[in-house]
CSV table of all heavy atoms in Angstrom, one decimal:
chain,number,residue,atom,x,y,z
A,32,HIS,N,2.4,0.8,2.8
A,32,HIS,CA,1.8,2.1,2.4
A,32,HIS,C,0.5,2.2,3.2
A,32,HIS,O,-0.5,1.6,2.8
A,32,HIS,CB,1.6,2.1,0.9
A,32,HIS,CG,1.1,3.4,0.4
A,32,HIS,ND1,1.6,4.0,-0.7
A,32,HIS,CD2,0.0,4.2,0.8
A,32,HIS,CE1,0.9,5.1,-1.0
A,32,HIS,NE2,0.0,5.2,0.0
A,34,HIS,N,-2.2,5.1,5.3
A,34,HIS,CA,-2.6,6.4,5.8
A,34,HIS,C,-3.3,6.2,7.2
A,34,HIS,O,-4.3,5.5,7.3
A,34,HIS,CB,-3.6,7.1,4.9
A,34,HIS,CG,-3.0,7.3,3.5
A,34,HIS,ND1,-2.4,8.5,3.2
A,34,HIS,CD2,-2.9,6.5,2.4
A,34,HIS,CE1,-1.9,8.4,1.9
A,34,HIS,NE2,-2.2,7.3,1.5
A,36,ARG,N,-3.7,9.2,9.3
A,36,ARG,CA,-4.3,10.5,9.6
A,36,ARG,C,-3.8,10.9,11.0
A,36,ARG,O,-2.7,10.5,11.5
A,36,ARG,CB,-5.8,10.6,9.6
A,36,ARG,CG,-6.4,9.9,8.3
A,36,ARG,CD,-6.0,10.6,7.0
A,36,ARG,NE,-6.8,10.0,5.9
A,36,ARG,CZ,-6.4,10.0,4.7
A,36,ARG,NH1,-5.2,10.4,4.3
A,36,ARG,NH2,-7.2,9.5,3.7
A,60,ASN,N,1.0,12.6,4.3
A,60,ASN,CA,0.1,13.7,3.7
A,60,ASN,C,-0.9,14.2,4.7
A,60,ASN,O,-2.1,14.2,4.4
A,60,ASN,CB,-0.5,13.2,2.4
A,60,ASN,CG,-1.4,12.1,2.5
A,60,ASN,OD1,-1.2,11.3,3.5
A,60,ASN,ND2,-2.4,11.9,1.6
A,118,LYS,N,8.5,10.5,0.6
A,118,LYS,CA,7.3,10.3,-0.3
A,118,LYS,C,7.3,11.4,-1.3
A,118,LYS,O,7.2,12.6,-0.9
A,118,LYS,CB,6.0,10.2,0.5
A,118,LYS,CG,4.8,10.1,-0.3
A,118,LYS,CD,4.7,8.7,-1.0
A,118,LYS,CE,3.5,8.6,-2.0
A,118,LYS,NZ,2.2,8.4,-1.4
A,120,TYR,N,5.0,13.2,-3.9
A,120,TYR,CA,3.7,13.5,-4.5
A,120,TYR,C,3.9,14.5,-5.6
A,120,TYR,O,4.3,15.7,-5.3
A,120,TYR,CB,2.7,14.1,-3.5
A,120,TYR,CG,2.2,13.1,-2.5
A,120,TYR,CD1,2.7,13.2,-1.2
A,120,TYR,CD2,1.2,12.2,-2.8
A,120,TYR,CE1,2.2,12.3,-0.2
A,120,TYR,CE2,0.7,11.3,-1.8
A,120,TYR,CZ,1.3,11.4,-0.5
A,120,TYR,OH,0.8,10.5,0.5
A,125,THR,N,-3.1,14.2,-5.7
A,125,THR,CA,-4.0,13.4,-4.9
A,125,THR,C,-4.3,14.2,-3.6
A,125,THR,O,-3.9,15.4,-3.5
A,125,THR,CB,-3.5,12.0,-4.6
A,125,THR,OG1,-4.5,11.3,-3.9
A,125,THR,CG2,-2.2,12.0,-3.8
A,126,THR,N,-4.9,13.5,-2.6
A,126,THR,CA,-5.3,14.2,-1.3
A,126,THR,C,-4.1,14.8,-0.7
A,126,THR,O,-3.0,14.2,-0.5
A,126,THR,CB,-5.8,13.0,-0.4
A,126,THR,OG1,-6.7,12.3,-1.1
A,126,THR,CG2,-6.4,13.7,0.9
A,155,HIS,N,4.3,8.5,-5.8
A,155,HIS,CA,2.9,8.5,-6.3
A,155,HIS,C,3.0,8.7,-7.8
A,155,HIS,O,3.3,9.9,-8.2
A,155,HIS,CB,2.1,9.5,-5.6
A,155,HIS,CG,0.6,9.5,-6.1
A,155,HIS,ND1,-0.4,9.1,-5.3
A,155,HIS,CD2,0.1,9.8,-7.3
A,155,HIS,CE1,-1.5,9.1,-6.0
A,155,HIS,NE2,-1.3,9.6,-7.2
A,193,HIS,N,1.4,1.8,-5.1
A,193,HIS,CA,0.1,1.4,-5.6
A,193,HIS,C,0.0,1.4,-7.1
A,193,HIS,O,-0.8,2.2,-7.7
A,193,HIS,CB,-1.0,2.3,-5.0
A,193,HIS,CG,-0.7,3.8,-4.9
A,193,HIS,ND1,-0.3,4.5,-6.0
A,193,HIS,CD2,-0.8,4.7,-3.9
A,193,HIS,CE1,-0.1,5.8,-5.6
A,193,HIS,NE2,-0.4,5.9,-4.4
A,236,TYR,N,-13.8,4.6,-5.1
A,236,TYR,CA,-13.0,5.7,-5.8
A,236,TYR,C,-11.7,5.9,-5.0
A,236,TYR,O,-11.8,6.2,-3.8
A,236,TYR,CB,-13.8,7.0,-5.9
A,236,TYR,CG,-12.9,8.1,-6.4
A,236,TYR,CD1,-12.3,8.1,-7.7
A,236,TYR,CD2,-12.7,9.2,-5.6
A,236,TYR,CE1,-11.5,9.1,-8.1
A,236,TYR,CE2,-11.9,10.3,-6.0
A,236,TYR,CZ,-11.3,10.2,-7.3
A,236,TYR,OH,-10.5,11.2,-7.7
A,237,CYS,N,-10.6,5.8,-5.7
A,237,CYS,CA,-9.3,6.1,-5.0
A,237,CYS,C,-8.4,6.6,-6.1
A,237,CYS,O,-8.7,6.6,-7.3
A,237,CYS,CB,-8.7,4.8,-4.4
A,237,CYS,SG,-8.4,3.5,-5.7
A,238,LEU,N,-7.2,7.0,-5.7
A,238,LEU,CA,-6.2,7.4,-6.7
A,238,LEU,C,-4.9,6.6,-6.4
A,238,LEU,O,-4.5,6.5,-5.3
A,238,LEU,CB,-5.9,8.9,-6.6
A,238,LEU,CG,-7.1,9.8,-7.1
A,238,LEU,CD1,-6.8,11.2,-6.7
A,238,LEU,CD2,-7.2,9.6,-8.6
A,239,PRO,N,-4.2,6.1,-7.5
A,239,PRO,CA,-4.7,6.1,-8.8
A,239,PRO,C,-6.0,5.4,-9.0
A,239,PRO,O,-6.1,4.3,-8.3
A,239,PRO,CB,-3.5,5.5,-9.6
A,239,PRO,CG,-2.4,5.5,-8.7
A,239,PRO,CD,-2.9,5.5,-7.3
A,266,ASP,N,-2.4,1.1,1.0
A,266,ASP,CA,-3.0,2.4,0.7
A,266,ASP,C,-4.3,2.6,1.4
A,266,ASP,O,-5.2,3.3,0.9
A,266,ASP,CB,-3.1,2.7,-0.8
A,266,ASP,CG,-3.2,4.2,-1.1
A,266,ASP,OD1,-2.9,5.0,-0.1
A,266,ASP,OD2,-3.6,4.6,-2.2
A,268,ALA,N,-6.9,4.2,3.2
A,268,ALA,CA,-7.0,5.6,3.3
A,268,ALA,C,-8.4,6.1,3.8
A,268,ALA,O,-9.3,6.2,3.1
A,268,ALA,CB,-6.7,6.2,1.9
A,269,PRO,N,-8.5,6.2,5.2
A,269,PRO,CA,-9.8,6.5,5.7
A,269,PRO,C,-10.3,8.0,5.4
A,269,PRO,O,-9.5,8.9,5.6
A,269,PRO,CB,-9.6,6.3,7.2
A,269,PRO,CG,-8.1,6.6,7.5
A,269,PRO,CD,-7.4,6.1,6.2
A,270,HIS,N,-11.5,8.0,5.0
A,270,HIS,CA,-12.2,9.3,4.9
A,270,HIS,C,-13.6,9.0,5.5
A,270,HIS,O,-14.1,7.9,5.4
A,270,HIS,CB,-12.4,9.8,3.5
A,270,HIS,CG,-11.2,10.1,2.8
A,270,HIS,ND1,-10.6,11.3,2.9
A,270,HIS,CD2,-10.4,9.4,1.9
A,270,HIS,CE1,-9.5,11.4,2.1
A,270,HIS,NE2,-9.3,10.2,1.5
A,282,ALA,N,-10.8,10.7,-2.4
A,282,ALA,CA,-10.2,9.5,-3.0
A,282,ALA,C,-9.7,8.6,-1.8
A,282,ALA,O,-9.0,9.1,-1.0
A,282,ALA,CB,-9.1,9.8,-3.9
A,283,GLY,N,-10.0,7.3,-1.8
A,283,GLY,CA,-9.4,6.4,-0.8
A,283,GLY,C,-10.3,5.3,-0.5
A,283,GLY,O,-11.5,5.5,-0.4
A,284,CYS,N,-9.7,4.1,-0.4
A,284,CYS,CA,-10.5,2.9,0.0
A,284,CYS,C,-9.9,2.5,1.4
A,284,CYS,O,-8.7,2.5,1.6
A,284,CYS,CB,-10.3,1.8,-1.0
A,284,CYS,SG,-11.0,2.1,-2.6
B,1,DOR,O1,-6.9,7.1,-2.9
B,1,DOR,C1,-6.0,7.7,-2.3
B,1,DOR,N1,-6.2,8.3,-1.1
B,1,DOR,N2,-4.9,7.9,-3.0
B,1,DOR,C2,-3.9,8.7,-2.5
B,1,DOR,O2,-2.9,8.8,-3.2
B,1,DOR,C3,-4.1,9.4,-1.2
B,1,DOR,C4,-5.0,8.8,-0.4
B,1,DOR,C5,-5.5,9.7,0.8
B,1,DOR,O3,-4.6,10.2,1.4
B,1,DOR,O4,-6.7,9.7,1.0
Side-chain angles (χ1 to χ4, degrees):
H32 183 132
H34 297 269
R36 317 297 190 206
N60 62 333
K118 178 68 189 278
Y120 289 104
T125 187
T126 311
H155 183 110
H193 43 52
Y236 172 61
C237 65
L238 287 170
D266 197 16
H270 294 277
C284 296

